Amino acid sequence: MTVMNQNVSYAFPPHAVPHLPIRNSSNVFPVHRIYCVGRNYADHAIEMGHDPNREAPFFFQKNPDTLVLSGGVFPYPDKSNDVHHELEMVIALKSGGKDIPIEKALDHVFAYGVGLDMTRRDLQGEAKKAGRPWEIGKAFEFSAPCSELVLASEIGHPAKGAVTLKVNGAVKQKGDLDQLIWKVPEMISYLSGLFELQAGDLIYSGTPAGVGPVVRGDEMLGTVDGIGEIKIKVG
């Protein structure tokens, strides 16, 4: 873990640490990294044109400063005419490490939340065709809205529960946590073999089918039963 040296003289003031509120707490959760799991629901894999069979999980990252708190505005981004919503359960870690055993993985979970993996689908599609990284489609500003976090010590570790997104009151995405291809302990264990996980890491766990475009003025309401909700307006 990196420890900040308080005696360092910065060339300019450093940016504030991105953070999320914690339900029933005056403390906030400092965010270190954001990992996202791709195609972790079979129905979403199918709608994206991929084999739904259980392949090894893959991950991409968003920057911590792309978070938008629930109740906020997601500004429609530049250079895209096809921005999609992807509703996901979010896992917040209180500790980490490398090569974490599956049976120990949940010991590292601090809390859960509800997030949106906003995607410039047209730019992501162009990157895929060219065999290039996805950052321009996934890691742009304000692309990771997230709700407040609710402690695992209060709700346990949800393994089932409806995952629902409404846009302007109409249901667009509907799934259940029990449909996750890779469950939470498996995600954490596998990811820790690729990166050294740390306290403050977030894992966006994947989205069910029904992803689709939003336009300016849309109001999104996402819920994960047993965890909470997120409200975001497209600006």
Side-chain angles (χ1 to χ4, degrees), residues 2 6 19 39 51 64 76 86 105 125 131 134 143 150 164 167 178 188 190 196 201 232:
T2 302
Q6 300 300 322
H19 60 269
R39 298 196 294 267
D51 188 337
Y76 200 95
E86 298 190 15
W134 292 4
S143 63
V150 57
T164 308
V167 179
D178 65 9
I188 294 171
Y190 192 95
E196 183 172 359
D201 287 345
I232 295 290

Side-chain angles (χ1 to χ4, degrees), residues 117-197:
D117 167 19
M118 301 304 295
T119 304
R120 292 193 286 201
R121 189 72 73 201
D122 44 1
L123 300 189
Q124 183 196 28
E126 292 171 7
K128 285 182 177 180
K129 289 178 183 178
R132 294 173 179 170
W134 292 4
E135 277 84 355
I136 59 169
K138 289 288 192 178
F140 57 96
E141 287 80 359
F142 310 107
S143 63
C146 192
S147 72
E148 66 178 3
L149 299 177
V150 57
L151 297 174
S153 60
E154 295 181 7
I155 64 168
H157 299 285
K160 60 176 62 177
V163 179
T164 308
L165 179 73
K166 295 180 180 180
V167 179
N168 303 325
V171 175
K172 297 297 184 179
Q173 290 187 262
K174 184 76 172 180
D176 196 285
L177 294 177
D178 65 9
Q179 298 168 342
L180 284 167
I181 297 172
W182 291 90
K183 310 304 184 185
V184 174
E186 295 173 315
M187 285 183 242
I188 294 171
S189 178
Y190 192 95
L191 185 57
S192 72
L194 301 172
F195 300 92
E196 183 172 359
L197 299 181

Side-chain angles (χ1 to χ4, degrees), residues 3-19:
V3 178
M4 293 185 65
N5 184 345
Q6 300 300 322
N7 296 319
V8 169
S9 178
Y10 294 101
F12 50 86
H15 297 288
V17 176
H19 60 269

